[in-house]
Amino acid sequence: MGADRLPTGIASVDRLLGGGLETDSVTEVYGEGGSGKTLFCLDVAHRVAQEGRWVFYIDTEGVSVDRLRSIAGANLEKLLKRFLLSTPKDLEEQTDAVRTACALAREGRRPVGLLVVDSATAYYRLSLSGPDEDDARQALSLEISDLVVTAMRAHVAVLVTNQVWRSIRDGTLEPVGGSFLNHAAKTILFFERLPGPRRRAILKKHRDRPEGSADFRITDQGLDGGSSA
Ligand code: ATP
Ligand code: MG
């Protein structure tokens, strides 16, 4: 039997995922800059908070409140009461933020519907090819393990975003986070930029769904995946 789902509210993506994000595993979204990863995280977070459940949101880009304002409008203050937002400034702070969020989610005092790390790999990437590369790799692996265990134990959807690099060999866009993240995530979505506000989510990995894709558009109010019929 498949896991429970958290609807994203983006109709085409929910169809692709068989109802939404799994609530006992980690979902990874990777794609190039501007492909809509952050907007997707905020859209799902908005929906979860609107329904009265908590969102633990780790934002390494420092942009989430402004963006959330345009999605939530006058409801922003109310929504933020259901947000535990942290804005780490380096990988060490990110590791602490993930540890705290996971511990709180597992403690279960607040009904948590979603845990987001956007971006999981921005700081990690800065350490690659430098003297701290091994430490960074280890820190990221521990974070991801913590998130995997938390998703299972606290029954919470975990959404992490990942950046890309372009393969010199064949020009494809590959996720940065290394094989550890790609093994740990039970669902992997690749976001592709199409002309204008159009974007495509391509399902690269799932436990019980076939490969496929879902189109959606970026609008002032968030992401629109068409009608749910
Ligand atoms: P990064 O890897 O740089 O963090 P990302 O994948 O998180 O990128 P987002 O920040 O979610 O990308 O997406 C921003 C994209 O959305 C930009 O391409 C921007 O032009 C587009 N965008 C933002 N608002 C609108 C809008 N109202 N209508 C159309 N496109 C919009
Ligand atoms: Mg982003």
Side-chain angles (χ1 to χ4, degrees), residues 8-174:
T8 66
I10 303 152
S12 58
V13 174
D14 284 337
R15 275 196 299 275
L16 180 70
L17 297 176
L21 306 177
E22 289 189 347
T23 55
D24 66 353
S25 71
V26 173
T27 296
E28 172 191 346
V29 176
Y30 74 95
E32 62 182 322
S35 59
K37 303 181 294 294
T38 295
L39 289 172
F40 180 69
C41 294
L42 289 170
D43 226 47
V44 184
H46 170 237
R47 186 183 169 91
V48 169
Q50 216 174 16
E51 288 171 355
R53 286 193 293 159
W54 279 81
V55 176
F56 291 174
Y57 202 107
I58 295 163
D59 169 23
T60 68
E61 297 177 345
V63 293
S64 51
V65 174
D66 282 349
R67 299 274 203 92
L68 198 57
R69 184 173 286 117
S70 63
I71 298 174
N75 273 333
L76 181 70
E77 295 306 319
K78 201 170 143 220
L79 280 183
L80 286 178
K81 293 200 173 92
R82 286 283 171 270
F83 263 70
L84 191 70
L85 177 68
S86 55
T87 53
K89 299 288 180 283
D90 56 33
L91 190 56
E92 208 173 316
E93 287 188 18
Q94 180 182 325
T95 302
D96 285 346
V98 169
R99 194 182 299 125
T100 302
C102 286
L104 288 173
R106 294 208 291 255
E107 181 187 271
R109 272 203 265 169
R110 300 176 178 93
V112 184
L114 179 69
L115 208 158
V116 175
V117 187
D118 178 34
S119 151
T121 53
Y123 293 133
Y124 164 80
R125 182 179 212 171
L126 294 177
S127 303
L128 294 181
S129 308
D132 300 330
E133 179 168 346
D134 286 348
D135 289 348
R137 206 177 293 284
Q138 196 183 10
L140 184 66
S141 301
L142 287 172
E143 272 178 36
I144 301 300
S145 304
D146 208 3
L147 291 166
V148 167
V149 171
T150 301
M152 280 194 292
R153 297 225 182 119
H155 212 65
V156 59
V158 173
L159 190 52
V160 303
T161 67
N162 192 1
Q163 300 186 332
V164 292
W165 58 277
R166 192 174 288 280
S167 158
I168 300 168
R169 195 157 35 96
D170 53 12
T172 54
L173 292 170
E174 303 293 338

